[in-house]
Amino acid sequence: MLQSMLSCCKLYISESRNSLALQSIERAATLHPDAAIINKFKDEAYNRVGYTLVSPLTENPFFNSPLNEAVVSMVAEAFKAIDLRSHCGTHPRLGVVDHICFHPLAESTLEQSARLAKMAAAAIGQCLQVPTFLYGAAHEEGRSLASIRRELGYFRPNSGGHEWAGGLCLDISRRKPDKGPSQVDQARGVVVIGATQWVDNYNIPVRSTDMTVVSRLAKRVGGRGGGFDSVQALALAHGKDCIELACNLLEPDRVGADRVQLEVQRLAAQEGLVLEQGYFTDFSRDRIIESYLMRKVD
């Protein structure tokens, strides 16, 4: 029964180098013991950290989910500990808390995940007063994460070279947030919250400094360039002499990392590029469930 009623959230914060800030954010989650951080993925070059949290799914409409309580507590602490105006990194971002996504696990449903996403958006937008945008099953028209990001200029570096730095000068008057104010605080930015089926995040290092060529490769791999329709790929500078293909595998049971790796190898050979083996930034769904259940047993 416990396994069938789990909810999952992936929370991405635009910081990885300030250990004190991350410690305070993680302490905020421990105030809600039914929710647990199952995975933490830090990337120094991107200056970004991703957390995967799991809790039992609460169906009683009069009680908030422990997962939501933990997520909102972490978000509130992130806004206290991090100022986007002093942030820089090679991963794009729209705010201190760049992205939150809820996923169904085991026998829970996408509808239940969407309900959690809407509750989190209400708390962050209205209580914390940060513009909040919904996507996927949490949005009434099912708009995509990529469409919101394109509208808000997420994919265009705002600093020298291939880096994002400083606060955001966003005009969101044409795209009214789903929750929260219509003015953007440069220290906090905005938050995008959604609900989707499970997504695998898989990064493939490319030994190159030619962003034009690697960006062309990313486009050819994904659906927008005639590649896999369930793959989104973005070329991002990652350390010295390396550009990564950051891939979202939207239907990993149909098009998984092995197929993507082989296709990228084929296309890279045509461009004369040298690849490394890709890597996941999170555990598999099954391992996440197993890890949470083992914690409860312990």
Side-chain angles (χ1 to χ4, degrees), residues 21-294:
L22 297 186
Q23 288 171 16
S24 67
I25 292 167
E26 291 159 23
R27 278 197 302 269
T30 65
L31 300 175
H32 310 279
D34 283 336
I37 297 174
I38 299 301
N39 187 49
K40 172 185 177 181
F41 184 82
K42 288 201 314 179
D43 193 297
E44 296 291 330
Y46 291 153
N47 200 5
R48 179 180 172 93
V49 62
Y51 294 102
T52 301
L53 295 95
V54 176
S55 88
L57 182 65
T58 302
E59 284 297 319
N60 191 325
F62 298 103
F63 292 93
N64 199 2
S65 160
L67 182 62
N68 274 49
E69 291 177 343
V71 167
V72 173
S73 293
M74 292 176 74
V75 169
E77 191 61 34
F79 289 143
K80 294 178 186 177
I82 300 168
D83 188 329
L84 195 64
R85 293 171 295 187
S86 61
H87 177 273
C88 64
T90 59
H91 197 290
R93 72 287 193 280
L94 290 174
V96 166
V97 181
D98 178 60
H99 178 207
I100 301 172
C101 191
F102 290 83
H103 303 287
L105 286 181
E107 296 179 18
S108 63
T109 67
L110 184 57
E111 180 182 6
Q112 291 167 326
S113 294
R115 190 180 309 126
L116 294 176
K118 292 175 185 177
M119 293 171 64
I124 294 169
Q126 296 168 3
C127 299
L128 300 181
Q129 285 294 291
V130 177
T132 303
F133 297 86
L134 291 169
Y135 78 92
H139 186 263
E140 59 184 8
E141 296 177 0
R143 69 183 172 195
S144 68
L145 173 62
S147 68
I148 298 173
R149 286 174 163 176
R150 280 194 295 271
E151 289 178 11
L152 297 179
Y154 178 87
F155 300 106
R156 296 190 298 271
N158 67 344
S159 185
H162 307 295
E163 190 164 82
W164 284 257
L168 297 175
C169 298
L170 291 179
D171 179 7
I172 59 174
S173 59
R174 296 182 182 179
R175 167 61 72 182
K176 183 179 178 181
D178 297 287
K179 301 292 181 182
S182 297
Q183 296 77 39
V184 180
D185 180 345
Q186 289 198 32
R188 294 182 169 190
V190 305
V191 181
V192 182
I193 302 178
T196 71
Q197 297 291 353
W198 185 261
V199 175
D200 273 343
N201 303 115
Y202 186 72
N203 294 350
I204 303 176
V206 182
R207 286 297 162 191
S208 174
T209 58
D210 192 331
M211 183 62 71
T212 299
V213 173
V214 182
S215 294
R216 183 166 64 238
L217 177 62
K219 184 176 181 180
R220 294 178 66 191
V221 172
R224 296 189 73 202
F228 296 119
D229 59 4
S230 62
V231 173
Q232 298 169 338
L234 180 65
L236 298 173
H238 192 262
K240 185 179 180 180
D241 299 330
C242 182
I243 299 173
E244 282 194 339
L245 287 186
C247 302
N248 293 333
L249 312 184
L250 306 183
E251 298 179 37
D253 292 335
R254 183 168 68 89
V255 179
D258 290 345
R259 285 187 65 187
V260 172
Q261 180 80 34
L262 288 173
E263 180 63 7
V264 172
Q265 288 175 351
R266 185 184 71 83
L267 296 173
Q270 297 175 4
E271 301 281 4
L273 297 173
V274 177
L275 301 182
E276 294 182 6
Q277 181 63 40
Y279 63 93
F280 292 99
T281 64
D282 202 351
F283 298 141
S284 68
R285 280 168 292 187
D286 290 344
R287 184 175 174 186
I288 286 171
I289 294 171
E290 179 183 359
S291 297
Y292 181 79
L293 295 178
M294 290 299 296

